[in-house]
Amino acid sequence: GDKNFLEIYDSGIKSWVMGHGHPAVRLSDGIKDEKYKCFLDGKFKGRRVVIVPSFIGVNEGSDPRDYDLGFASEWEFKLDKFNVNIVSEDLEVKKFGELGKL
């Protein structure tokens, strides 16, 4: 996610799956405040982009509403339009809708 490769722009490539950003969203009900690792799923230049969370316990991740996720400067993702998906402990995918509406 922090480097741009010309090969990814090939017309045959329809999806990008990216690491490096380690997205996690902070959710609050006014009393309880928790952070959840999440997948961000959206579009960029006609391609589907899936940004994956950290898969290790020591890196919780960063909320893209609060921090720059450190992607290559050529990618100006509109992350507020990306969908937030959280995978529960029982591997059920919880869909939270657009990041910008959370």
Side-chain angles (χ1 to χ4, degrees):
D2 62 334
K3 293 185 172 80
N4 194 9
F5 298 94
L6 293 178
E7 296 84 0
I8 65 176
Y9 296 100
D10 182 279
S11 63
I13 296 177
K14 306 293 183 211
S15 299
W16 297 351
V17 178
M18 305 175 70
H20 182 71
H22 307 302
V25 292
R26 186 170 308 282
L27 300 175
S28 176
D29 64 3
I31 297 170
K32 190 174 185 181
D33 186 66
E34 293 192 21
K35 192 182 225 183
Y36 297 91
K37 294 180 180 196
C38 66
F39 290 81
L40 297 177
D41 187 351
K43 295 279 186 185
F44 180 71
K45 295 189 177 186
R47 292 176 176 84
R48 179 180 183 200
V49 176
V50 178
I51 303 168
V52 301
S54 168
F55 291 110
I56 60 173
V58 295
N59 185 348
E60 187 177 48
S62 300
D63 192 319
R65 297 171 294 179
D66 299 329
Y67 300 99
D68 178 0
L69 297 183
F71 294 116
S73 61
E74 299 86 354
W75 303 324
E76 295 181 16
F77 298 137
K78 298 198 181 314
L79 293 178
D80 60 326
K81 299 290 183 190
F82 276 51
N83 289 308
V84 174
N85 298 309
I86 297 172
V87 178
S88 69
E89 289 181 11
D90 62 354
L91 301 180
E92 183 180 346
V93 177
K94 308 285 188 177
K95 297 178 183 238
F96 282 80
E98 289 183 1
L99 179 64
K101 294 181 180 177
L102 287 181

